[in-house]
Each structure stands twice: as C-alpha cells, then as structure tokens.
Amino acid sequence: MGRIFISAAHGGREGGRIDPGTVAGGTTEAREMILLRDLIVTELRSRNWEVLSVPDDLSAQGTITWINSRSRPRDVALEIQTDAAASPSVRGATVYYIANNSDRRKHAEILLLALLRKIPQLPNRGVKPDTNSGFGSLIFCRQTTIASLQMQVGFLTSPDDRFLLQNRRRDFAVGIADGLASWGGIIDPGSIPPETNYPIINININGKNVNEKGVLINGNSYIPISLLNSLNIDLSTAPDIRQVAYKQIVYIKAVDLQRFNVSVGWDGTTRTVKLRSNLASGQIDKIMSSGKTTKEQLESFLKSNDNNALVQFPDITQLYIDEANKEGVNYDIAFSQMCLETDYLRFSGDIKAEQNNFAGLGTVGGGSESATFASARIGVRAHIQHLKAYASSEALREEVVDPRFRFVTRGVAPLVGDLSGRWSASLDYGTRILAILRKLYDSTQ
C-alpha cells in the first residue's frame, strides 16, 4: 500500500503571507481548502493510511518539488482547489487528469464518483484531461512524478457550492477520502511496470511510423529524445520538461510536446502514440493566416464540449469560415476565441445569446456595456473585423460593423499572445485561446 500526498491549492506565499487564492462570499480558497484538507488527512489516518500533507507556504512549483523529493513509485498525489466563474450560477465538481492516460482517467472517475455519492447535490462536471483546463495543461498533473490528479471540489463564486462546502465539510472529506482509498488501493506493486521492463510502444510522426520505439511508464507514453529533431523541437527552451533515462536511452513524456504545438494521440489497438506537428503548415498563432480545420471538425469539437452548442446557432461554424476567409483571418483562432468568450456558446457570463456578441465586444460609449448585433453573421463579422484591426493594417473588405474598430491601434497584435492585456486585461488571455486551439487540433487526430 502506497502513501497519499494531499495539497490544498491556493496562491502559495506572497510578501510573507499565504496568498488567499480566489476570494468570494466572505471567505478565501486558501481557508476553505486548508480546512477541507485537514479533515481528509484526519479521516485517512483513522483508516491507517500514511498521508503526507503538503506545507501551505509553498508555491505551485515548490509543491511539486516537495512531493517529488519524498515520493516513492506506489504513492499517489491529489491537489484540491475551488474554481471561480463570472456567473454565480456556474457550479459543480470535476477532476483533471493528465491527457492521453486512460489509467489516470479511470482513477479520476473513481475519485469524483466517491465525492458525489456523499454530496449528491453537487453537480457533476465530469472528469477532464488537463488539456481542457484554461491553460491547456496543469503542472500538478504533468510534473509530479507519481500518479497525480487535480480536483476542483466546486465553485467558490457559487453561493450554492459555497454553502455545501462550509456546511457539509466533513461529508466532502469522507467522500474524497473514500475515493483516495480506492485509488490508492489500485496502485500496488503489480500495477507499476518494473523499471527494467517497461512496455514497448510504437511511434507515428506526421502520419508515418518510425523505426524507434517508445515506452509506457505509469500509463504515460514516452518517446526517445532523439526524435525531437524530426519535430523541430529545441528542449533548451523548456528546461522544466522531465527526462527519463532507461536502458541507455533518454526519453521524454509525449504529452509534454503539446507546448511545442504538437498534437498527441493514442491508438490503443496498435499501441501507438501519434504525434503531429502543427507547425508543418506555418505558425499556428499568427492571426492573419489560414485555418486548417473543416466545418465538420469545428462542429464536432463544439458538440464534444457542449452537445447543445449548435441548437441556437446551427450555422456558426460556417459563418466563422466564411467571414474569416473574406478578411484573411485564421478562422481556427477566431473560433477558439469565441469558445473562450462564450464558454462554448453557453453564454454563462454577462453577455446573452440574443446579443449575437461572440467575442465580448464593447460599445462605442465604453464602460461595461457590451454590444448587440442584428444577426449571428453580423456578430461574427464584427468579431473578425476586430481581430483584423489588431493583427493587420490592411483595409477591410466589408463595411465596418465592429463598433470599436476605429479605436484599435492597427497591426499592434499580429500573434494570439499579443492580445493579452489588449483585448482583455488578463495577461493570460492569449494563452487561454491557444490552449483551446491546441485542443481543437488534438481533436482532429
């Protein structure tokens, strides 16, 4: 039986004090997660589990370093946190696992269902690969050397979730402890491949099988570092990527290549990890460029994130293709930005679906008022025009419908990352769009 590491997520230590993380309803994420973590630890220890509680004064990277320096192969790690949303109606629990790891997905399902059995009033948001997170990956899932999961126990910004968390804290703790005990019981010596005999897997790069083989370590695909040249990847720009030496060959985790714009897929039938460089047809974050997906692929991607997404806007994907192509804007990027701004057409924020505003565009008067457009096509056209205003100094081919087109400094943001701090005050805005874009390309594998 391995040990269990538990981390209460918040912002670490800042200026000599613990960063509170999300603040809502007169409480903080740090306070709620520390209280919950302590109850989980007590419950597990009463069941004779060995539990290690991560110190609360560590940063996110410090937490991972602390766990990695103490962990053993049979151990597991969980980080608990709350989420936040602009709308107080958004609520529920989810568990994130490292993408392309079917074993970890099963473990995430065990953990989530154990919590929901104790708190059935908490909406089930499902288990999700970490590529579905806002940043496209989660370092707790990626860089922790032992089996790890990140759990969002609810939305602190939701009065309903907050009430449950504060009034049924012990039920939360018991449910999570039940899940951890079940998960920890699965991770036994027989489930970890011996270090001298990792399973061999095949590798396919850009549609072609290569002669070199990879290995499967703890459910994750690893490829020889020597193959990176064929993907035009320079690891010197990413020193945090973990390398594993095995039988005189150095390997890296395949899923870590996503930050280099490489799509990673898995064919379980042939035991093949499939890699595709999205740079083959040019720079993927260049706004004035061509989209690569089809209408059917965009529709499938929308439905995979919200099955009802196309009910109110059945032609939205074709509108983005048509309007973006007119102006030379990459419709994949514009579509990904729409998914971010509208929460995949759920419109869970302040803007309503009937406004046909798919990009959070404001009015001429400024302030907090958002624009309204006469039709979905005009709304999409305004979005595309606003993107072109930022990315290019070329003239528009259609009459201006974007109410704030003339206020943009033309050509100041040719790349998606340049939209951060401009289109949105968030300095991570471009990163979030690119995370969705990469997820879109992964879905076309």
Side-chain angles (χ1 to χ4, degrees):
M1 181 169 67
R3 302 172 300 168
I4 297 174
F5 288 78
I6 303 182
S7 168
H10 46 79
R13 187 168 288 277
E14 182 180 287
R17 64 180 181 84
I18 293 179
D19 185 346
T22 300
V23 179
T27 189
T28 67
E29 179 180 22
R31 179 181 187 277
E32 299 300 332
M33 292 303 95
I34 290 171
L35 289 172
L36 178 58
R37 186 271 320 279
D38 290 347
L39 281 179
I40 297 170
V41 169
T42 300
E43 177 66 26
L44 285 169
R45 286 176 178 166
S46 73
R47 306 182 191 186
N48 298 318
W49 282 90
E50 185 178 353
V51 185
L52 287 83
S53 179
V54 178
D56 292 314
D57 59 352
L58 298 178
S59 64
Q61 192 62 58
T63 292
I64 292 168
T65 301
W66 192 90
I67 294 173
N68 288 347
S69 66
R70 292 164 174 78
S71 62
R72 300 192 289 249
R74 287 178 290 163
D75 299 339
V76 299
L78 173 69
E79 183 164 80
I80 56 172
Q81 63 178 192
T82 60
D83 207 341
S87 172
S89 64
V90 179
R91 53 189 304 247
T94 191
V95 179
Y96 285 100
Y97 61 92
I98 186 169
N100 298 302
N101 189 321
S102 57
D103 289 340
R104 205 69 64 248
R105 175 173 184 164
K106 293 175 185 176
H107 301 155
E109 290 170 345
I110 289 170
L111 187 62
L112 183 58
L113 291 176
L115 171 61
L116 297 177
R117 276 196 293 268
K118 287 293 182 182
I119 313 288
Q121 299 85 357
L122 191 65
N124 182 353
R125 295 177 67 87
V127 300
K128 302 175 183 178
D130 70 331
T131 47
N132 279 35
S133 65
F135 297 103
S137 66
L138 296 171
I139 63 170
F140 192 84
C141 296
R142 298 285 175 115
Q143 296 181 21
T144 307
T145 55
I146 56 176
S148 58
L149 297 170
Q150 189 173 88
M151 182 177 211
Q152 292 179 344
V153 300
F155 282 73
L156 198 64
T157 48
S158 162
D160 292 331
D161 283 5
R162 199 167 58 242
F163 178 85
L164 285 172
L165 182 59
Q166 293 176 330
N167 290 275
R168 298 186 59 187
R169 201 184 309 276
R170 176 163 174 74
D171 287 337
F172 271 82
V174 171
I176 293 172
D178 288 345
L180 282 169
S182 298
W183 175 28
I186 294 173
I187 306 296
D188 57 35
S191 68
I192 302 296
E195 190 171 338
T196 57
N197 190 29
Y198 289 128
I200 301 299
I201 60 174
N202 299 310
I203 302 171
N204 181 287
I205 297 179
N206 292 328
K208 296 181 179 179
N209 293 326
V210 299
N211 292 327
E212 291 193 70
K213 302 296 183 180
V215 292
L216 206 61
I217 303 176
N218 204 16
N220 297 308
S221 301
Y222 281 73
I223 68 167
I225 200 170
S226 57
L227 291 177
L228 298 189
N229 286 336
S230 61
L231 293 165
N232 297 316
I233 292 174
D234 179 9
L235 271 192
S236 65
T237 62
D240 58 317
I241 288 185
R242 180 170 173 254
Q243 301 179 20
V244 174
Y246 173 62
K247 293 187 176 180
Q248 288 72 57
I249 298 176
V250 177
Y251 294 85
I252 66 167
K253 196 180 297 180
V255 73
D256 282 340
L257 300 181
Q258 290 172 324
R259 73 170 71 179
F260 298 100
N261 300 319
V262 172
S263 297
V264 181
W266 173 255
D267 185 337
T269 304
T270 59
R271 295 175 64 84
T272 301
V273 60
K274 301 167 64 179
L275 309 174
R276 188 186 69 194
S277 174
N278 287 318
L279 290 178
S281 60
Q283 192 172 358
I284 73 166
D285 61 345
K286 187 176 181 181
I287 295 172
M288 300 303 294
S289 60
S290 300
K292 297 190 293 183
T293 58
T294 65
K295 173 178 177 287
E296 290 73 24
Q297 287 171 335
L298 293 177
E299 289 179 344
S300 176
F301 180 72
L302 261 182
K303 290 179 179 178
S304 69
N305 286 279
D306 179 8
N307 196 46
N308 297 317
L310 295 173
V311 173
Q312 187 162 356
F313 300 101
D315 302 321
I316 193 72
T317 55
Q318 190 62 55
L319 293 179
Y320 267 95
I321 293 172
D322 292 346
E323 295 298 326
N325 283 341
K326 287 179 188 176
E327 301 293 350
V329 169
N330 186 322
Y331 59 77
D332 291 336
I333 291 174
F335 177 84
S336 297
Q337 186 181 22
M338 178 276 291
C339 290
L340 174 63
E341 288 283 354
T342 67
D343 189 18
Y344 298 94
L345 295 177
R346 293 186 184 91
F347 291 93
S348 55
D350 294 330
I351 296 177
K352 306 304 178 186
E354 53 268 24
Q355 290 180 250
N356 294 309
N357 186 342
F358 305 103
L361 298 178
T363 60
V364 175
S368 60
E369 187 177 355
S370 54
T372 296
F373 300 98
S375 66
R377 179 175 291 277
I378 298 301
V380 172
R381 183 174 299 170
H383 178 190
I384 298 300
Q385 290 180 350
H386 207 64
L387 266 178
K388 187 170 183 176
Y390 272 111
S392 171
S393 58
E394 295 180 3
L396 293 177
R397 298 183 180 179
E398 295 280 353
E399 181 182 351
V400 177
V401 295
D402 169 22
R404 298 195 61 80
F405 182 86
R406 67 181 185 274
F407 299 112
V408 176
T409 302
R410 299 298 308 276
V412 72
L415 305 179
V416 174
D418 298 327
L419 298 176
S420 299
R422 291 189 171 97
W423 193 295
S424 165
S426 170
L427 298 181
D428 298 316
Y429 186 69
T431 302
R432 289 178 172 273
I433 296 173
L434 284 174
I436 294 175
L437 181 65
R438 292 189 180 103
K439 188 169 66 167
L440 169 63
Y441 288 153
D442 281 345
S443 73
T444 65
Q445 274 271 71

